[in-house]
mmCIF file of all heavy atoms in Angstrom:
data_model
loop_
_atom_site.group_PDB
_atom_site.id
_atom_site.type_symbol
_atom_site.label_atom_id
_atom_site.label_comp_id
_atom_site.label_asym_id
_atom_site.label_seq_id
_atom_site.Cartn_x
_atom_site.Cartn_y
_atom_site.Cartn_z
ATOM 1 N N GLU A 1464 12.540 12.544 23.742
ATOM 2 C CA GLU A 1464 13.382 13.427 24.540
ATOM 3 C C GLU A 1464 14.873 13.207 24.230
ATOM 4 O O GLU A 1464 15.633 14.168 24.085
ATOM 5 C CB GLU A 1464 13.101 13.158 26.023
ATOM 6 C CG GLU A 1464 13.689 14.139 26.982
ATOM 7 C CD GLU A 1464 13.273 13.815 28.397
ATOM 8 O OE1 GLU A 1464 13.503 12.674 28.846
ATOM 9 O OE2 GLU A 1464 12.732 14.711 29.058
ATOM 10 N N ALA A 1468 17.341 15.947 22.503
ATOM 11 C CA ALA A 1468 18.612 16.336 23.119
ATOM 12 C C ALA A 1468 19.732 16.282 22.079
ATOM 13 O O ALA A 1468 20.571 17.190 22.004
ATOM 14 C CB ALA A 1468 18.928 15.446 24.311
ATOM 15 N N ILE A 1479 13.771 22.830 21.526
ATOM 16 C CA ILE A 1479 13.063 23.362 22.701
ATOM 17 C C ILE A 1479 11.591 23.602 22.381
ATOM 18 O O ILE A 1479 10.712 23.331 23.193
ATOM 19 C CB ILE A 1479 13.745 24.650 23.217
ATOM 20 C CG1 ILE A 1479 15.058 24.301 23.924
ATOM 21 C CG2 ILE A 1479 12.832 25.439 24.145
ATOM 22 C CD1 ILE A 1479 14.905 23.499 25.208
ATOM 23 N N TYR A 1482 9.898 20.282 22.454
ATOM 24 C CA TYR A 1482 9.814 19.834 23.855
ATOM 25 C C TYR A 1482 8.698 20.582 24.580
ATOM 26 O O TYR A 1482 7.933 19.987 25.338
ATOM 27 C CB TYR A 1482 11.159 20.044 24.553
ATOM 28 C CG TYR A 1482 11.270 19.317 25.862
ATOM 29 C CD1 TYR A 1482 11.372 17.928 25.903
ATOM 30 C CD2 TYR A 1482 11.276 19.998 27.061
ATOM 31 C CE1 TYR A 1482 11.467 17.240 27.097
ATOM 32 C CE2 TYR A 1482 11.371 19.324 28.271
ATOM 33 C CZ TYR A 1482 11.469 17.951 28.283
ATOM 34 O OH TYR A 1482 11.560 17.275 29.472
ATOM 35 N N VAL A 1497 4.523 10.970 32.618
ATOM 36 C CA VAL A 1497 5.484 11.545 31.677
ATOM 37 C C VAL A 1497 6.725 12.023 32.424
ATOM 38 O O VAL A 1497 7.856 11.746 32.024
ATOM 39 C CB VAL A 1497 4.839 12.688 30.864
ATOM 40 C CG1 VAL A 1497 5.883 13.416 30.036
ATOM 41 C CG2 VAL A 1497 3.742 12.129 29.967
ATOM 42 N N ALA A 1498 6.522 12.732 33.519
ATOM 43 C CA ALA A 1498 7.657 13.241 34.294
ATOM 44 C C ALA A 1498 8.519 12.102 34.832
ATOM 45 O O ALA A 1498 9.748 12.194 34.843
ATOM 46 C CB ALA A 1498 7.155 14.111 35.437
ATOM 47 N N SER A 1500 9.046 9.254 33.460
ATOM 48 C CA SER A 1500 9.818 8.607 32.400
ATOM 49 C C SER A 1500 10.882 9.531 31.805
ATOM 50 O O SER A 1500 11.727 9.093 31.041
ATOM 51 C CB SER A 1500 8.885 8.124 31.288
ATOM 52 O OG SER A 1500 8.385 9.220 30.570
ATOM 53 N N SER A 1501 10.830 10.796 32.156
ATOM 54 C CA SER A 1501 11.769 11.762 31.622
ATOM 55 C C SER A 1501 13.181 11.479 32.134
ATOM 56 O O SER A 1501 13.378 10.994 33.234
ATOM 57 C CB SER A 1501 11.337 13.172 32.041
ATOM 58 O OG SER A 1501 12.181 14.128 31.477
ATOM 59 N N ASN A 1502 14.159 11.813 31.317
ATOM 60 C CA ASN A 1502 15.561 11.566 31.648
ATOM 61 C C ASN A 1502 16.236 12.896 31.969
ATOM 62 O O ASN A 1502 16.344 13.771 31.111
ATOM 63 C CB ASN A 1502 16.246 10.872 30.474
ATOM 64 C CG ASN A 1502 17.670 10.514 30.746
ATOM 65 O OD1 ASN A 1502 18.456 11.353 31.162
ATOM 66 N ND2 ASN A 1502 18.018 9.266 30.484
ATOM 67 N N GLU A 1503 16.701 13.032 33.197
ATOM 68 C CA GLU A 1503 17.301 14.292 33.646
ATOM 69 C C GLU A 1503 18.482 14.717 32.773
ATOM 70 O O GLU A 1503 18.639 15.892 32.435
ATOM 71 C CB GLU A 1503 17.745 14.171 35.106
ATOM 72 C CG GLU A 1503 18.283 15.456 35.672
ATOM 73 C CD GLU A 1503 18.623 15.337 37.152
ATOM 74 O OE1 GLU A 1503 18.236 14.359 37.804
ATOM 75 O OE2 GLU A 1503 19.295 16.268 37.632
ATOM 76 N N GLU A 1504 19.305 13.778 32.386
ATOM 77 C CA GLU A 1504 20.471 14.088 31.556
ATOM 78 C C GLU A 1504 20.045 14.665 30.201
ATOM 79 O O GLU A 1504 20.650 15.612 29.699
ATOM 80 C CB GLU A 1504 21.311 12.826 31.350
ATOM 81 C CG GLU A 1504 22.551 13.031 30.522
ATOM 82 C CD GLU A 1504 23.323 11.739 30.300
ATOM 83 O OE1 GLU A 1504 23.158 10.780 31.079
ATOM 84 O OE2 GLU A 1504 24.082 11.696 29.319
ATOM 85 N N MET A 1505 18.981 14.111 29.621
ATOM 86 C CA MET A 1505 18.500 14.603 28.331
ATOM 87 C C MET A 1505 17.912 16.004 28.469
ATOM 88 O O MET A 1505 18.155 16.877 27.626
ATOM 89 C CB MET A 1505 17.448 13.659 27.733
ATOM 90 C CG MET A 1505 17.973 12.276 27.407
ATOM 91 S SD MET A 1505 19.358 12.315 26.268
ATOM 92 C CE MET A 1505 20.572 11.408 27.188
ATOM 93 N N ARG A 1506 17.140 16.230 29.537
ATOM 94 C CA ARG A 1506 16.584 17.566 29.781
ATOM 95 C C ARG A 1506 17.708 18.583 29.955
ATOM 96 O O ARG A 1506 17.668 19.683 29.407
ATOM 97 C CB ARG A 1506 15.698 17.578 31.028
ATOM 98 C CG ARG A 1506 14.347 16.955 30.858
ATOM 99 C CD ARG A 1506 13.421 17.260 32.036
ATOM 100 N NE ARG A 1506 14.048 17.138 33.340
ATOM 101 C CZ ARG A 1506 14.114 16.029 34.067
ATOM 102 N NH1 ARG A 1506 13.583 14.917 33.595
ATOM 103 N NH2 ARG A 1506 14.693 16.022 35.249
ATOM 104 N N GLU A 1507 18.719 18.201 30.701
ATOM 105 C CA GLU A 1507 19.852 19.098 30.938
ATOM 106 C C GLU A 1507 20.562 19.445 29.621
ATOM 107 O O GLU A 1507 20.933 20.598 29.389
ATOM 108 C CB GLU A 1507 20.833 18.454 31.925
ATOM 109 C CG GLU A 1507 21.963 19.376 32.327
ATOM 110 C CD GLU A 1507 22.847 18.754 33.399
ATOM 111 O OE1 GLU A 1507 22.312 18.145 34.341
ATOM 112 O OE2 GLU A 1507 24.074 18.893 33.270
ATOM 113 N N THR A 1508 20.730 18.446 28.763
ATOM 114 C CA THR A 1508 21.353 18.694 27.458
ATOM 115 C C THR A 1508 20.515 19.674 26.640
ATOM 116 O O THR A 1508 21.050 20.612 26.038
ATOM 117 C CB THR A 1508 21.536 17.365 26.681
ATOM 118 O OG1 THR A 1508 22.376 16.505 27.439
ATOM 119 C CG2 THR A 1508 22.136 17.599 25.314
ATOM 120 N N LEU A 1509 19.211 19.456 26.622
ATOM 121 C CA LEU A 1509 18.314 20.357 25.903
ATOM 122 C C LEU A 1509 18.450 21.787 26.409
ATOM 123 O O LEU A 1509 18.639 22.732 25.631
ATOM 124 C CB LEU A 1509 16.855 19.918 26.084
ATOM 125 C CG LEU A 1509 16.287 18.926 25.108
ATOM 126 C CD1 LEU A 1509 15.014 18.306 25.650
ATOM 127 C CD2 LEU A 1509 16.002 19.616 23.791
ATOM 128 N N TYR A 1510 18.355 21.952 27.710
ATOM 129 C CA TYR A 1510 18.397 23.280 28.303
ATOM 130 C C TYR A 1510 19.769 23.928 28.120
ATOM 131 O O TYR A 1510 19.864 25.117 27.805
ATOM 132 C CB TYR A 1510 18.022 23.236 29.777
ATOM 133 C CG TYR A 1510 16.639 22.702 30.055
ATOM 134 C CD1 TYR A 1510 16.374 21.957 31.186
ATOM 135 C CD2 TYR A 1510 15.579 22.938 29.182
ATOM 136 C CE1 TYR A 1510 15.093 21.461 31.450
ATOM 137 C CE2 TYR A 1510 14.316 22.442 29.436
ATOM 138 C CZ TYR A 1510 14.075 21.723 30.571
ATOM 139 O OH TYR A 1510 12.823 21.234 30.819
ATOM 140 N N THR A 1511 20.822 23.168 28.292
ATOM 141 C CA THR A 1511 22.179 23.700 28.147
ATOM 142 C C THR A 1511 22.412 24.192 26.722
ATOM 143 O O THR A 1511 22.944 25.289 26.503
ATOM 144 C CB THR A 1511 23.224 22.644 28.523
ATOM 145 O OG1 THR A 1511 23.024 22.257 29.883
ATOM 146 C CG2 THR A 1511 24.638 23.168 28.356
ATOM 147 N N ASN A 1512 22.013 23.408 25.748
ATOM 148 C CA ASN A 1512 22.198 23.803 24.350
ATOM 149 C C ASN A 1512 21.332 25.014 23.994
ATOM 150 O O ASN A 1512 21.757 25.875 23.213
ATOM 151 C CB ASN A 1512 21.922 22.638 23.409
ATOM 152 C CG ASN A 1512 23.018 21.607 23.451
ATOM 153 O OD1 ASN A 1512 24.152 21.893 23.810
ATOM 154 N ND2 ASN A 1512 22.693 20.382 23.086
#
Side-chain angles (χ1 to χ4, degrees):
E1464 191 177 55
I1479 286 294
Y1482 194 71
V1497 172
S1500 71
S1501 183
N1502 183 308
E1503 184 176 347
E1504 181 182 339
M1505 296 302 125
R1506 284 192 317 271
E1507 186 175 317
T1508 300
L1509 271 163
Y1510 300 146
T1511 300
N1512 287 336

